């Protein structure tokens, strides 16, 4: 009887530990995705602050890389610039065997349009899939 109770207690403890680790991992991943949103807003601000209109594709690629992003698409006209950028945020993923470092990816469509006074207005939208290449 005692061994059965010990096994049940050990199993219960392991289940609770696993549940808590999964919740912590989900929280860490959500925080990493929130950081990608902040990176996207910062990227849009930097691209919009470029002098003399909208920057070229190489300049936009450099800005994306400075913000831990990868430029996936670039479309420019006289009055707008539309880019798709994949950003990542790093987080710790814990398990019973230790801690590993993971990355959470999120793609954003960033549209900059010149407003009435000539200053660019940015709209940043998260995308469900990063299938634009």
């Amino acid at each position: 009887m005692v061994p059965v109770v010990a096994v049940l207690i050990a199993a219960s403890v392991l289940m609770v530990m696993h549940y808590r680790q999964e919740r912590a991992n989900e929280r860490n991943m959500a925080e990493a995705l929130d950081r990608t949103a902040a990176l996207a807003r910062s990227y849009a601000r930097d691209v919009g602050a470029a002098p003399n209109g909208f920057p070229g594709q190489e300049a936009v690629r450099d800005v994306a890389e400075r913000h831990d992003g990868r430029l996936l698409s670039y479309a420019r006209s006289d009055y707008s610039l539309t880019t798709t950028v994949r950003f990542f945020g790093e987080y710790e993923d814990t398990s019973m065997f230790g801690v590993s470092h993971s990355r959470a990816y999120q793609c954003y469509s960033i549209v900059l349009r010149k407003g009435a006074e000539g200053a660019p207005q940015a709209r940043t939208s998260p995308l469900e899939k990063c299938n634009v290449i």
Side-chain angles (χ1 to χ4, degrees):
M1 180 76 173
V2 173
V4 171
V5 171
V7 168
L8 289 175
I9 290 172
S12 298
V13 167
L14 289 174
M15 287 175 45
V16 168
M17 286 175 54
H18 176 72
Y19 175 79
R20 292 182 74 190
Q21 285 174 346
E22 287 298 313
R23 299 297 80 71
N25 290 341
E26 289 172 6
R27 254 190 331 274
N28 290 344
M29 185 174 173
E31 289 172 1
L33 289 173
D34 288 344
R35 284 192 298 276
T36 65
L39 289 170
R41 287 189 300 271
S42 178
Y43 160 86
R45 219 175 10 255
D46 287 356
V47 170
N52 304 325
F54 299 121
Q57 187 168 356
E58 285 305 313
V60 169
R61 186 181 319 278
D62 290 343
V63 172
E65 289 173 0
R66 281 197 312 267
H67 294 289
D68 293 332
R70 180 170 179 252
L71 182 65
L72 299 179
S73 71
Y74 176 93
R76 179 177 161 185
S77 71
D78 290 340
Y79 299 103
S80 71
L81 171 65
T82 303
T83 60
T84 302
V85 182
R86 182 176 67 182
F87 295 96
F88 71 89
E90 293 184 332
Y91 66 98
E92 287 186 347
D93 195 11
T94 60
S95 70
M96 302 267 277
F97 306 107
V99 176
S100 62
H101 294 278
S102 299
R103 288 184 174 180
Y105 292 93
Q106 181 71 47
C107 285
Y108 291 88
S109 172
I110 296 101
V111 179
L112 289 102
R113 296 189 191 283
K114 290 189 180 178
E117 57 281 337
Q121 310 268 325
R123 188 180 82 232
T124 304
S125 307
L127 299 174
E128 289 295 316
K129 296 187 179 186
C130 297
N131 57 1
V132 179
I133 293 182

